[in-house]
Amino acid sequence: MSRLVCVSNRISLPRKSAAPGGLAVGILSALKRTGGLWFGWGGETVENDPGDPDIHIRDGVTYATVDLRQREFEQYYNGYANEVLWPLFHYFLKGMRYNSDERDAYENVNRTFASKLLPMLEPRDAIWVHDYHLIPLARLLREMGVKRPIGFFLHIPFPNIEMLRVLPSYAELLHDLTSYDVVGFQTENDLRAFHSGIEHLFGADAIKPDGRIRVGNRTVRADVFPIGVDVAAVQEEAITAINSDVVKRMTDSLVGRSLMMGVDRLDYSKGLVERFSAYQNFLETYPDNLGRITYIQIAPLSRTDVRAYVEIRQSLEQAAGRTNGRFADTDWTPIRYLNRNFPHATLMGFLRAAKVGLVTPLRDGMNLVAKEFVAAQDPTDPGVLILSNLAGAACELNSALLVNPYDTRAVGHAIQSALSMPLAERRERHATMMQVLSRNDIASWTRRFVDALDQTQNSDARVRAVGNGN
Ligand code: F6P
C-alpha cells in the first residue's frame, strides 16, 4: 500500500474551520480514511523567503503548509488562476484577463510547491494533485527526479480545444497534463474536451483504443471520477443540526412559510444574478406565493481581490434589493441574502429544513451542494432539488428538476413545480438520487482514483521506474 500524498492550493487545517468549497471537504474526507500527507498553501503571505513547511499531525493525517510571497501569490492566485484559468475553464471569456508576468508567477509558485514538497516525499508515496492551480506540478517534480506515480484531478470543468486555445500557453498546459500518470475529470464531457485538446496537439493516434493517451514515452490514463459526498456523515450532521439553536432560530423565523435554500460561494459562475431574476419571475407569475415562501441565499464572499468578484457582488446586492423592494411586506422579506459562511453541519441542517434546493450554476465542475442537499433530506418527506443542467452533478442527479439556468422563466416554473410536487413523486425522485449518491460516495471516489494510481505503479513502465528511487 502506498502512502497517499494530496497536494492542493487550499487546505483545511484542523485548527481552523473548514475552507469553503468542495475540494477541501472532499480531500479531507479522503485523507481521513486513508491517512497520509496533505500539502498546500497555509493561507498566509510573507514578504521574504517562505521557509520550510509548517507541520501539524492530527488523526493520521500530516498537514504540511507553505506560505507564499505576497506579490507572487497575488499574481498566481488572483491573477493567473482566477483571472485566466477559472473564467476560461468555465467558458466565461468576458472575465478573462491574460498577463504573461502572471503566467510566470504561476510557474514559480508551482516550482516553490515542488521544491518544498520534494524533501517530504517517501519511496512508497502515491501523489495526488488537485485542481487548476497546480497543473505544472508533475512536470516540475519529474524535473526534480520524482518517478513515483502522480495523479491529477480537476475539480472544475475542462474546456473544449476551441475555448482552450484562446490561452496563449494552451500547448504547455496540455503537455503538463501528460506529465501525470492519471488525469481525472468530473464528467464525460470534460474528458471529451480533454481528448479534443490531445487530438489537436498530438493527433488522433495519441488516444489509444483502451482510452489511454500515449505521448512520447509516457502513457497517461485519463478518465472520469465524479466526486461524491460522505452520505452518512451529511445525514448525521443534518439530523443533529436540525435541532440545534441556530437552525431552530431560522425555522422559527419562517412562521410556517416554505423555505427555498441556495448555498454557493459568491462567484459569477454560480448564476446568482439569473437565479434572483428567476425568483422574481416566479413571484410575478405565481402571485399566490407572495408571503408564503422565503428564499435564503447564503453566499460567502470569495476571491474578493479579483475585479469580476467585486462586480458580481454589487450586481447581486442590487438584484436582491430590487426584489425585496418590490415584493416585501411589513412582515415578509422574499429574499434573505447573506454574505457569510456557516459551519458545514449547520449548513446541512439548513438544507434539511428546505422544501426546495436551488442549485443553478451557469457552469460547474460538479457542485457538491446539490449532492449534499439530497443527502441531507428526510427520506419520508424530502425537499425537491432544482439543478442546472450545466452543473456536472446533473449527469448523475437526473431525477432532480433539471433546468437551463439562463432560462429564468423556466426556472420560475420549476420553483412552482417543486413547491406543488406530490409527496409520492418527491420520495421517488429522492430515493433514485440517493441510490446514485450511495453508489458513488466520497469513499468510492477516493478508492477508484487511488486504485488507478496504484495500477500505474504496477505497469511495466512504472515498475522499471520505481526501482530508480522516489
Ligand atoms: O472547486 C473549485 C475551487 O477553486 C476549489 O479549488 C476551492 O476549494 C474552491 O473552489 C474555493 O475556491 P478558493 O480556494 O479560491 O477560495
Side-chain angles (χ1 to χ4, degrees):
M1 260 287 279
S2 314
R3 178 181 74 151
L4 185 61
V5 175
C6 287
V7 190
S8 60
N9 173 65
R10 181 76 68 181
I11 104 167
S12 209
L13 283 169
R15 64 190 148 82
K16 296 197 175 155
S17 62
L23 175 147
V25 175
I27 300 179
L28 189 59
S29 318
L31 276 171
K32 276 189 174 162
R33 282 163 199 281
T34 58
L37 170 69
W38 191 358
F39 183 95
W41 173 54
E44 302 293 332
T45 54
V46 289
E47 286 306 322
N48 303 314
D49 184 68
D52 291 333
D54 273 349
I55 308 289
H56 305 267
I57 300 174
R58 172 82 70 92
D59 301 332
V61 181
T62 302
Y63 300 81
T65 57
V66 277
D67 297 336
L68 293 171
R69 281 200 175 87
Q70 174 67 26
R71 171 106 183 106
E72 222 167 48
F73 173 76
E74 274 165 22
Q75 294 187 314
Y76 142 82
Y77 174 81
N78 292 330
Y80 197 72
N82 287 320
E83 286 196 302
V84 178
L85 297 182
W86 178 272
L88 179 71
F89 281 33
H90 286 84
Y91 291 74
F92 285 103
L93 277 189
K94 199 173 144 254
M96 180 173 151
R97 203 185 45 78
Y98 185 85
N99 169 329
S100 42
D101 290 344
E102 293 178 347
R103 167 72 183 82
D104 295 345
Y106 178 76
E107 173 83 8
N108 288 340
V109 168
N110 270 270
R111 192 178 304 273
T112 304
F113 265 61
S115 62
K116 305 274 177 194
L117 174 62
L118 188 68
M120 305 189 70
L121 292 178
E122 294 173 3
R124 291 173 56 78
D125 287 346
I127 304 160
W128 187 2
V129 179
H130 293 260
D131 235 356
Y132 58 103
H133 314 86
L134 299 174
I135 292 171
L137 195 68
R139 168 177 48 84
L140 295 163
L141 286 169
R142 301 269 182 239
E143 283 170 15
M144 293 174 189
V146 174
K147 296 190 171 60
R148 300 295 304 158
I150 312 180
F152 176 79
F153 183 76
L154 184 67
H155 290 253
I156 67 173
F158 193 82
N160 187 280
I161 184 64
E162 275 315 303
M163 180 61 65
L164 184 64
R165 70 199 186 95
V166 168
L167 183 70
S169 52
Y170 80 92
E172 286 86 341
L173 183 146
L174 285 166
H175 264 289
D176 281 352
L177 285 171
T178 65
S179 293
Y180 290 92
D181 297 289
V182 180
V183 178
F185 298 98
Q186 298 276 24
T187 68
E188 290 287 345
N189 273 343
D190 302 312
L191 178 63
R192 268 196 298 275
F194 178 61
H195 281 166
S196 75
I198 292 293
E199 199 172 318
H200 170 91
L201 198 63
F202 304 109
D205 287 355
I207 305 169
K208 300 297 163 201
D210 66 357
R212 281 171 201 269
I213 289 165
R214 185 88 189 151
V215 174
N217 60 359
R218 295 201 50 77
T219 303
V220 183
R221 173 173 169 196
D223 214 335
V224 179
F225 301 85
I227 190 169
V229 293
D230 187 335
V231 178
V234 170
Q235 280 170 333
E236 201 184 308
E237 281 182 339
I239 291 169
T240 309
I242 196 89
N243 294 314
S244 67
D245 285 350
V246 56
V247 178
K248 274 197 161 150
R249 252 182 32 233
M250 185 278 286
T251 48
D252 287 351
S253 76
L254 299 173
V255 289
R257 296 182 174 109
S258 301
L259 171 66
M260 181 163 78
M261 279 294 306
V263 180
D264 308 76
R265 267 186 318 102
L266 205 168
D267 191 302
Y268 51 87
S269 67
K270 301 295 181 186
L272 293 173
V273 171
E274 291 74 6
R275 198 181 300 176
F276 283 9
S277 113
Y279 181 56
Q280 177 155 330
N281 250 305
F282 158 78
L283 294 175
E284 278 162 5
T285 316
Y286 302 101
D288 283 359
N289 290 291
L290 293 175
R292 295 198 171 147
I293 178 171
T294 295
Y295 165 29
I296 299 185
Q297 177 63 52
I298 296 176
L301 298 182
S302 140
R303 306 175 191 166
T304 46
D305 293 328
V306 178
R307 195 176 54 203
Y309 290 75
V310 175
E311 288 169 5
I312 187 75
R313 185 177 173 188
Q314 286 165 355
S315 306
L316 280 168
E317 280 161 6
Q318 287 167 8
R322 258 197 310 276
T323 301
N324 284 339
R326 176 158 164 210
F327 293 103
D329 211 332
T330 47
D331 61 349
W332 174 56
T333 309
I335 305 184
R336 296 188 198 166
Y337 171 56
L338 289 75
N339 291 139
R340 55 166 290 199
N341 207 356
F342 288 87
H344 191 259
T346 305
L347 290 175
M348 297 306 105
F350 289 159
L351 293 180
R352 189 174 177 92
K355 286 218 164 340
V356 182
L358 200 49
V359 183
T360 55
L362 304 178
R363 184 77 58 172
D364 214 331
M366 175 53 65
N367 198 299
L368 288 183
V369 174
K371 292 189 168 182
E372 288 171 338
F373 176 81
V374 174
Q377 294 308 301
D378 173 356
T380 63
D381 185 14
V384 178
L385 175 64
I386 299 177
L387 177 61
S388 162
N389 56 14
L390 297 170
C395 299
E396 292 172 276
L397 301 181
N398 46 22
S399 292
L401 290 182
L402 293 182
V403 291
N404 181 318
Y406 291 95
D407 189 347
T408 53
R409 197 165 51 179
V411 176
H413 293 322
I415 296 174
Q416 178 64 10
S417 307
L419 288 170
S420 53
M421 189 180 286
L423 177 63
E425 183 178 347
R426 284 191 277 129
R427 280 187 178 168
E428 197 180 316
R429 286 175 183 267
H430 178 256
T432 312
M433 293 192 282
M434 279 303 282
Q435 279 173 9
V436 177
L437 293 192
S438 307
R439 220 177 17 242
N440 181 36
D441 64 359
I442 192 73
S444 76
W445 176 70
T446 313
R447 210 169 26 242
R448 279 192 63 224
F449 198 97
V450 173
D451 282 355
L453 264 181
D454 277 344
Q455 280 158 21
T456 303
Q457 189 175 352
N458 293 330
S459 80
D460 283 346
R462 282 255 56 89
V463 170
R464 277 199 303 277
V466 163
N468 296 338
N470 57 0

